[in-house]
Amino acid sequence: MTIGKGRKIGTVAVCVLAQLLIAIDLTVLHLVLPSLSEQMHPSTTELLWIADAYGFALAGLLITMGNIGDRVGRKKLLLIGASLFGAASVITAYAPTAELLIAARVLLGIAAATLMPSTLSIVRNVFTGKERAAVIGVSSGLTILGFGMGPLVGGFLLDHFWWGSVFLVNVPVVVVMVIAGALILPESKNPVPGRIDVLSVLLSIAGMVGIVYTIKEVAYKGWGHWDIAVAAVLGLGCLLAFILRQPRLTEPLMDLKLFAQRAFSATVGTTILAMFAQLAVSLMFAQYLQLVAGWSPLKSGLAGLPGMGGAILGGMLAPLGIKLFGRAVTIGLGCALSAAGFALYSGVGVTIVYTDLLAAMIVFGVGLALILTVATDTVLGVVPKARAGAASAISETATELGGALGIAILGSALGALYRSELVIPPGVPPEAVSDTLGGAVQVAAQLPPEQGALILTNAKLAFVDGLQVTMLCSAGLMAVLAVSALFTLRGIPKVLEDPEEASPAPVPTPVG
């Protein structure tokens, strides 16, 4: 089927809109939690589940939803997912209890899991070669912009309305997306889909949720808790069983043969490590700008916009980089720029110098967009259109897993450095000062002015010291990744045409 230029532009717009919704929803909740806690009074456990339920559902279902899209149709799944996202947003906004709010966040995660692989697989089926790389570049840049828009949108709405408004604003966007998607998006699916293996679905969900739960809980409270041990054993055991089961299936849920292609496995690995570093930066600097610099959420969000602009620029430059230097060098350059950005971030102090932050944000944003754009295009370009949903799901799972690992490992490292550097003033019981900068701010407000000011000063110094070391370690990681990319991705063609067109397509074997 031939698709006209206008319809192609409309397809990109709908897919970008879906990615923006997901990106904004991932970052906006952190702003909502304080006012939500004041009004709903959830327990500590309930608050953690409100924050994490979305990510657990999203991570657990990505692989399954990518395969369902291949079978029932990517357009159909995207429209269903968008409708569910809108309904779940309304339930979230008006949730009267913490239990219902957690359930609504699970529904939002399920909906997001249908949207993420659907958008990429639709792009894979509509665009090819250089055109696909350019579209993914624009899409990646705008999606990264969505991460920056979350605090902006949330900060503005919280200044004028109640906490539920940050979710209710999703509804008109979803209505536009569903109507436009129904009229514009072309349908595509695997012509010989086969059956979905239910046991593989259950193993993938249990495995991913177990692993992500373990990572997040270790970041919150460390090892030594029975629930973390159970989750770790369950997650690893289920993932191992899932991996061992796939080669025995006629139609596996995850085609492990894809990883035999160096282009596929190397780019998935690069994506995990790139997101490992990126999401940790977002979390740490949200704390830095608000708790060290004392800026409001809205001002902090505005301050991060130049970095988002750098990401858009990087996404637009990625196709040119592929054309001039090839994929390996372009990803290596992106990693090198990210390393430089981390090195610049390591120069932050207790007294903020915004011009220094500005340079770091822009350099880092350009580098990250170069990595993600080329990696995403490479993953999609080396698989047949029929398996686009499954490949997209693997790519998105790598992104989600890398981000969770980054927040857990780098966040834990920052916490440990903060605690080791914190100097507690004489006369203040050690247990009165929290293990986090946010907790120290609350403690300081309840003490006599002189004592509180001293605690706050020491806490800020300890946090900044830990932040500097963490950023330098991240710079080293990205520098190593830059060199690694030059070797692991060498020889991958600049233009990746459809695999079906590169060689005669095999006759599909009917699946009973």
Side-chain angles (χ1 to χ4, degrees):
M1 179 179 66
T2 303
I3 300 175
K5 184 177 180 181
R7 195 175 179 190
K8 283 185 175 182
I9 293 173
T11 297
V12 174
V14 172
C15 290
V16 166
L17 205 56
Q19 295 278 25
L20 283 174
L21 267 182
I22 298 165
I24 291 173
D25 209 72
L26 277 169
T27 53
V28 76
L29 186 72
H30 296 106
L31 292 177
V32 174
L33 288 178
S35 56
L36 185 154
S37 299
E38 290 177 9
Q39 295 180 34
M40 194 170 284
H41 306 293
S43 66
T44 302
T45 301
E46 287 173 337
L47 196 62
L48 289 176
W49 277 104
I50 289 169
D52 292 337
Y54 177 88
F56 290 152
L58 176 61
L61 286 168
L62 274 171
I63 293 173
T64 299
M65 291 303 180
N67 279 270
I68 289 175
D70 285 341
R71 287 163 168 78
V72 306
R74 290 102 185 197
K75 172 182 177 178
K76 184 183 297 182
L77 187 65
L78 185 143
L79 295 179
I80 292 171
S83 302
L84 179 61
F85 199 95
S89 295
V90 175
I91 297 172
T92 303
Y94 291 106
T97 65
E99 292 83 1
L100 187 57
L101 181 57
I102 292 168
R105 292 289 293 167
V106 171
L107 281 178
L108 276 172
I110 294 171
T114 68
L115 293 176
M116 290 177 79
S118 295
T119 54
L120 282 180
S121 53
I122 287 170
V123 167
R124 167 67 180 88
N125 277 268
V126 172
F127 302 95
T128 58
K130 296 177 181 178
E131 193 177 41
R132 184 188 60 240
V135 169
I136 290 175
V138 172
S139 175
S140 298
L142 291 175
T143 300
I144 295 172
L145 178 63
F147 285 105
M149 287 174 62
L152 270 180
V153 172
F156 174 80
L157 290 173
L158 289 174
D159 280 350
H160 297 84
F161 307 101
W162 95 113
W163 64 264
S165 63
V166 302
F167 299 105
L168 205 58
V169 76
N170 293 337
V171 177
V173 179
V174 165
V175 170
V176 172
M177 194 168 72
V178 169
I179 294 173
L183 296 173
I184 295 170
L185 295 178
E187 184 59 284
S188 63
K189 60 182 178 180
N190 188 341
V192 190
R195 292 194 298 260
I196 289 184
D197 182 60
V198 177
L199 181 56
S200 292
V201 169
L202 296 176
L203 288 172
S204 71
I205 293 172
M208 284 302 301
V209 171
I211 292 298
V212 172
Y213 179 89
T214 301
I215 293 169
K216 286 179 176 286
E217 289 299 294
V218 167
Y220 285 134
K221 54 187 182 183
W223 292 98
H225 300 269
W226 70 267
D227 58 321
I228 294 177
V230 170
V233 172
L234 179 67
L236 289 172
C238 287
L239 282 185
L240 179 61
F242 174 81
I243 291 170
L244 293 175
R245 182 173 176 77
Q246 298 315 294
R248 304 203 302 266
L249 299 174
T250 306
E251 281 291 327
L253 198 66
M254 178 186 286
D255 188 356
L256 299 181
K257 293 177 183 176
L258 292 174
F259 288 94
Q261 301 181 65
R262 183 165 49 85
F264 187 89
S265 55
T267 47
V268 167
T270 301
T271 300
I272 290 176
L273 291 174
M275 291 307 298
F276 174 92
Q278 193 274 334
L279 277 193
V281 168
S282 299
L283 181 66
M284 291 175 191
F285 275 90
Q287 296 178 67
Y288 174 76
L289 292 174
Q290 293 182 51
L291 299 178
V292 176
W295 291 2
S296 69
L298 183 58
K299 185 177 179 180
S300 300
L302 287 169
L305 281 182
M308 303 305 108
I312 294 175
L313 177 62
M316 294 172 65
L317 290 176
L320 179 61
I322 294 173
K323 180 180 178 180
L324 294 177
F325 310 116
R327 293 174 183 268
V329 173
T330 303
I331 287 186
L333 178 61
C335 293
L337 287 173
S338 295
F342 278 124
L344 290 170
Y345 274 133
S346 71
V348 298
V350 173
T351 302
I352 186 169
V353 181
Y354 185 66
T355 51
D356 292 346
L357 273 183
L358 190 65
M361 283 189 291
I362 293 173
V363 171
F364 182 82
V366 172
L368 179 68
L370 285 176
I371 299 169
L372 295 183
T373 299
V374 181
T376 302
D377 182 63
T378 304
V379 165
L380 294 180
V382 297
V383 299
K385 287 183 177 181
R387 298 290 289 166
S392 302
I394 293 172
S395 177
E396 296 289 4
T397 301
T399 299
E400 190 71 19
L401 190 58
L405 282 168
I407 290 174
I409 296 174
L410 292 180
S412 297
L414 175 59
L417 289 166
Y418 167 81
R419 289 188 291 273
S420 68
E421 294 291 327
L422 181 61
V423 177
I424 300 174
V428 178
E431 61 272 15
V433 180
S434 174
D435 287 342
T436 65
L437 176 58
V441 171
Q442 294 177 356
V443 169
Q446 299 168 5
L447 294 173
E450 290 186 9
Q451 205 172 43
L454 188 55
I455 285 179
L456 196 55
T457 298
N458 290 350
K460 287 181 178 181
L461 284 170
F463 180 85
V464 169
D465 286 346
L467 186 64
Q468 290 171 345
V469 173
T470 306
M471 292 298 101
L472 284 174
C473 292
S474 299
L477 171 67
M478 295 308 294
V480 171
L481 191 59
V483 176
S484 172
L486 297 178
F487 292 95
T488 58
L489 299 171
R490 70 187 185 281
I492 299 174
K494 293 180 180 180
V495 179
L496 294 171
E497 298 296 349
D498 292 339
E500 302 97 324
E501 297 169 6
S503 60
V507 178
T509 303
V511 179

PDB file of all heavy atoms in Angstrom, residues 12-13 22 115 117 142 146 153 158 173 238 244 345 347 350 359 365 369 424 467:
ATOM      1  N   VAL A  12       3.495  10.330  11.809  1.00  0.00           N
ATOM      2  CA  VAL A  12       4.555  10.755  12.727  1.00  0.00           C
ATOM      3  C   VAL A  12       3.967  11.569  13.878  1.00  0.00           C
ATOM      4  O   VAL A  12       4.326  11.381  15.047  1.00  0.00           O
ATOM      5  CB  VAL A  12       5.631  11.575  11.987  1.00  0.00           C
ATOM      6  CG1 VAL A  12       6.655  12.135  12.961  1.00  0.00           C
ATOM      7  CG2 VAL A  12       6.328  10.722  10.943  1.00  0.00           C
ATOM      8  N   ALA A  13       3.034  12.476  13.553  1.00  0.00           N
ATOM      9  CA  ALA A  13       2.449  13.336  14.580  1.00  0.00           C
ATOM     10  C   ALA A  13       1.716  12.516  15.633  1.00  0.00           C
ATOM     11  O   ALA A  13       1.859  12.765  16.846  1.00  0.00           O
ATOM     12  CB  ALA A  13       1.491  14.341  13.929  1.00  0.00           C
ATOM     13  N   ILE A  22       3.456   9.378  27.258  1.00  0.00           N
ATOM     14  CA  ILE A  22       4.152   8.427  28.123  1.00  0.00           C
ATOM     15  C   ILE A  22       5.308   9.117  28.849  1.00  0.00           C
ATOM     16  O   ILE A  22       5.493   8.939  30.062  1.00  0.00           O
ATOM     17  CB  ILE A  22       4.678   7.241  27.298  1.00  0.00           C
ATOM     18  CG1 ILE A  22       3.512   6.486  26.649  1.00  0.00           C
ATOM     19  CG2 ILE A  22       5.481   6.291  28.177  1.00  0.00           C
ATOM     20  CD1 ILE A  22       3.942   5.540  25.555  1.00  0.00           C
ATOM     21  N   LEU A 115       1.191   1.309  24.008  1.00  0.00           N
ATOM     22  CA  LEU A 115       1.526   2.444  23.142  1.00  0.00           C
ATOM     23  C   LEU A 115       2.980   2.433  22.687  1.00  0.00           C
ATOM     24  O   LEU A 115       3.280   2.710  21.522  1.00  0.00           O
ATOM     25  CB  LEU A 115       1.244   3.765  23.874  1.00  0.00           C
ATOM     26  CG  LEU A 115      -0.215   4.094  24.192  1.00  0.00           C
ATOM     27  CD1 LEU A 115      -0.304   5.381  25.010  1.00  0.00           C
ATOM     28  CD2 LEU A 115      -1.025   4.252  22.908  1.00  0.00           C
ATOM     29  N   PRO A 117       5.585   0.077  22.117  1.00  0.00           N
ATOM     30  CA  PRO A 117       6.031  -0.694  20.948  1.00  0.00           C
ATOM     31  C   PRO A 117       5.182  -0.441  19.712  1.00  0.00           C
ATOM     32  O   PRO A 117       5.672  -0.575  18.586  1.00  0.00           O
ATOM     33  CB  PRO A 117       5.915  -2.150  21.424  1.00  0.00           C
ATOM     34  CG  PRO A 117       4.941  -2.126  22.534  1.00  0.00           C
ATOM     35  CD  PRO A 117       5.084  -0.786  23.190  1.00  0.00           C
ATOM     36  N   LEU A 142      11.876  14.774  20.227  1.00  0.00           N
ATOM     37  CA  LEU A 142      10.637  15.275  20.817  1.00  0.00           C
ATOM     38  C   LEU A 142      10.241  14.462  22.049  1.00  0.00           C
ATOM     39  O   LEU A 142       9.673  15.004  23.002  1.00  0.00           O
ATOM     40  CB  LEU A 142       9.510  15.249  19.785  1.00  0.00           C
ATOM     41  CG  LEU A 142       9.652  16.263  18.641  1.00  0.00           C
ATOM     42  CD1 LEU A 142       8.546  16.068  17.608  1.00  0.00           C
ATOM     43  CD2 LEU A 142       9.598  17.700  19.174  1.00  0.00           C
ATOM     44  N   GLY A 146       9.648  15.572  25.922  1.00  0.00           N
ATOM     45  CA  GLY A 146       8.536  15.221  26.792  1.00  0.00           C
ATOM     46  C   GLY A 146       8.967  14.988  28.223  1.00  0.00           C
ATOM     47  O   GLY A 146       8.263  15.355  29.169  1.00  0.00           O
ATOM     48  N   VAL A 153       4.768  21.090  32.857  1.00  0.00           N
ATOM     49  CA  VAL A 153       3.309  20.951  32.861  1.00  0.00           C
ATOM     50  C   VAL A 153       2.812  20.758  34.284  1.00  0.00           C
ATOM     51  O   VAL A 153       1.852  21.412  34.723  1.00  0.00           O
ATOM     52  CB  VAL A 153       2.884  19.763  31.969  1.00  0.00           C
ATOM     53  CG1 VAL A 153       1.391  19.483  32.120  1.00  0.00           C
ATOM     54  CG2 VAL A 153       3.227  20.037  30.511  1.00  0.00           C
ATOM     55  N   LEU A 158      -0.012  22.517  39.091  1.00  0.00           N
ATOM     56  CA  LEU A 158      -0.066  22.483  40.555  1.00  0.00           C
ATOM     57  C   LEU A 158      -0.113  23.881  41.162  1.00  0.00           C
ATOM     58  O   LEU A 158      -0.585  24.056  42.290  1.00  0.00           O
ATOM     59  CB  LEU A 158       1.138  21.714  41.103  1.00  0.00           C
ATOM     60  CG  LEU A 158       1.118  20.198  40.880  1.00  0.00           C
ATOM     61  CD1 LEU A 158       2.430  19.573  41.328  1.00  0.00           C
ATOM     62  CD2 LEU A 158      -0.046  19.559  41.622  1.00  0.00           C
ATOM     63  N   VAL A 173      -5.851  15.260  24.981  1.00  0.00           N
ATOM     64  CA  VAL A 173      -4.775  14.797  24.096  1.00  0.00           C
ATOM     65  C   VAL A 173      -5.114  13.410  23.554  1.00  0.00           C
ATOM     66  O   VAL A 173      -4.933  13.122  22.367  1.00  0.00           O
ATOM     67  CB  VAL A 173      -3.427  14.770  24.835  1.00  0.00           C
ATOM     68  CG1 VAL A 173      -2.319  14.264  23.915  1.00  0.00           C
ATOM     69  CG2 VAL A 173      -3.078  16.145  25.374  1.00  0.00           C
ATOM     70  N   CYS A 238      12.292 -16.827  36.710  1.00  0.00           N
ATOM     71  CA  CYS A 238      11.305 -16.751  35.631  1.00  0.00           C
ATOM     72  C   CYS A 238      11.947 -16.304  34.319  1.00  0.00           C
ATOM     73  O   CYS A 238      11.599 -16.816  33.242  1.00  0.00           O
ATOM     74  CB  CYS A 238      10.173 -15.795  36.016  1.00  0.00           C
ATOM     75  SG  CYS A 238       9.054 -16.461  37.273  1.00  0.00           S
ATOM     76  N   LEU A 244      15.060 -20.105  28.287  1.00  0.00           N
ATOM     77  CA  LEU A 244      15.237 -21.508  27.909  1.00  0.00           C
ATOM     78  C   LEU A 244      14.053 -22.037  27.103  1.00  0.00           C
ATOM     79  O   LEU A 244      14.214 -22.945  26.267  1.00  0.00           O
ATOM     80  CB  LEU A 244      15.425 -22.369  29.169  1.00  0.00           C
ATOM     81  CG  LEU A 244      16.717 -22.124  29.954  1.00  0.00           C
ATOM     82  CD1 LEU A 244      16.721 -22.953  31.234  1.00  0.00           C
ATOM     83  CD2 LEU A 244      17.947 -22.454  29.104  1.00  0.00           C
ATOM     84  N   TYR A 345      28.929  18.394  34.284  1.00  0.00           N
ATOM     85  CA  TYR A 345      28.016  18.335  35.422  1.00  0.00           C
ATOM     86  C   TYR A 345      28.780  18.165  36.739  1.00  0.00           C
ATOM     87  O   TYR A 345      28.339  18.630  37.791  1.00  0.00           O
ATOM     88  CB  TYR A 345      27.052  17.162  35.275  1.00  0.00           C
ATOM     89  CG  TYR A 345      25.809  17.452  34.465  1.00  0.00           C
ATOM     90  CD1 TYR A 345      25.389  16.572  33.462  1.00  0.00           C
ATOM     91  CD2 TYR A 345      25.022  18.574  34.715  1.00  0.00           C
ATOM     92  CE1 TYR A 345      24.241  16.812  32.724  1.00  0.00           C
ATOM     93  CE2 TYR A 345      23.876  18.831  33.982  1.00  0.00           C
ATOM     94  CZ  TYR A 345      23.488  17.941  32.986  1.00  0.00           C
ATOM     95  OH  TYR A 345      22.358  18.183  32.259  1.00  0.00           O
ATOM     96  N   GLY A 347      31.220  19.611  37.775  1.00  0.00           N
ATOM     97  CA  GLY A 347      31.730  20.875  38.293  1.00  0.00           C
ATOM     98  C   GLY A 347      30.726  21.678  39.089  1.00  0.00           C
ATOM     99  O   GLY A 347      31.035  22.788  39.541  1.00  0.00           O
ATOM    100  N   VAL A 350      27.592  24.099  45.499  1.00  0.00           N
ATOM    101  CA  VAL A 350      26.421  24.465  46.300  1.00  0.00           C
ATOM    102  C   VAL A 350      25.816  25.766  45.782  1.00  0.00           C
ATOM    103  O   VAL A 350      24.595  25.934  45.754  1.00  0.00           O
ATOM    104  CB  VAL A 350      26.817  24.602  47.786  1.00  0.00           C
ATOM    105  CG1 VAL A 350      25.648  25.141  48.608  1.00  0.00           C
ATOM    106  CG2 VAL A 350      27.280  23.261  48.330  1.00  0.00           C
ATOM    107  N   ALA A 359      25.788  24.698  29.552  1.00  0.00           N
ATOM    108  CA  ALA A 359      26.698  24.001  28.636  1.00  0.00           C
ATOM    109  C   ALA A 359      26.595  22.492  28.819  1.00  0.00           C
ATOM    110  O   ALA A 359      26.542  21.731  27.842  1.00  0.00           O
ATOM    111  CB  ALA A 359      28.134  24.468  28.885  1.00  0.00           C
ATOM    112  N   GLY A 365      22.473  16.584  26.120  1.00  0.00           N
ATOM    113  CA  GLY A 365      21.250  16.347  25.355  1.00  0.00           C
ATOM    114  C   GLY A 365      21.527  15.941  23.920  1.00  0.00           C
ATOM    115  O   GLY A 365      20.906  15.013  23.394  1.00  0.00           O
ATOM    116  N   ALA A 369      20.626  12.065  22.428  1.00  0.00           N
ATOM    117  CA  ALA A 369      19.734  11.913  21.270  1.00  0.00           C
ATOM    118  C   ALA A 369      20.436  11.196  20.117  1.00  0.00           C
ATOM    119  O   ALA A 369      19.814  10.399  19.405  1.00  0.00           O
ATOM    120  CB  ALA A 369      19.224  13.276  20.827  1.00  0.00           C
ATOM    121  N   ILE A 424      27.433  15.738  60.967  1.00  0.00           N
ATOM    122  CA  ILE A 424      26.316  16.078  61.854  1.00  0.00           C
ATOM    123  C   ILE A 424      26.829  17.005  62.954  1.00  0.00           C
ATOM    124  O   ILE A 424      27.787  16.678  63.663  1.00  0.00           O
ATOM    125  CB  ILE A 424      25.714  14.808  62.476  1.00  0.00           C
ATOM    126  CG1 ILE A 424      25.207  13.880  61.354  1.00  0.00           C
ATOM    127  CG2 ILE A 424      24.584  15.153  63.436  1.00  0.00           C
ATOM    128  CD1 ILE A 424      24.719  12.539  61.842  1.00  0.00           C
ATOM    129  N   LEU A 467      27.290  14.037  44.394  1.00  0.00           N
ATOM    130  CA  LEU A 467      26.859  14.256  43.012  1.00  0.00           C
ATOM    131  C   LEU A 467      28.064  14.380  42.077  1.00  0.00           C
ATOM    132  O   LEU A 467      28.079  13.817  40.979  1.00  0.00           O
ATOM    133  CB  LEU A 467      26.004  15.526  42.947  1.00  0.00           C
ATOM    134  CG  LEU A 467      25.344  15.852  41.599  1.00  0.00           C
ATOM    135  CD1 LEU A 467      24.351  14.772  41.220  1.00  0.00           C
ATOM    136  CD2 LEU A 467      24.641  17.202  41.662  1.00  0.00           C
TER     137      LEU A 467
END
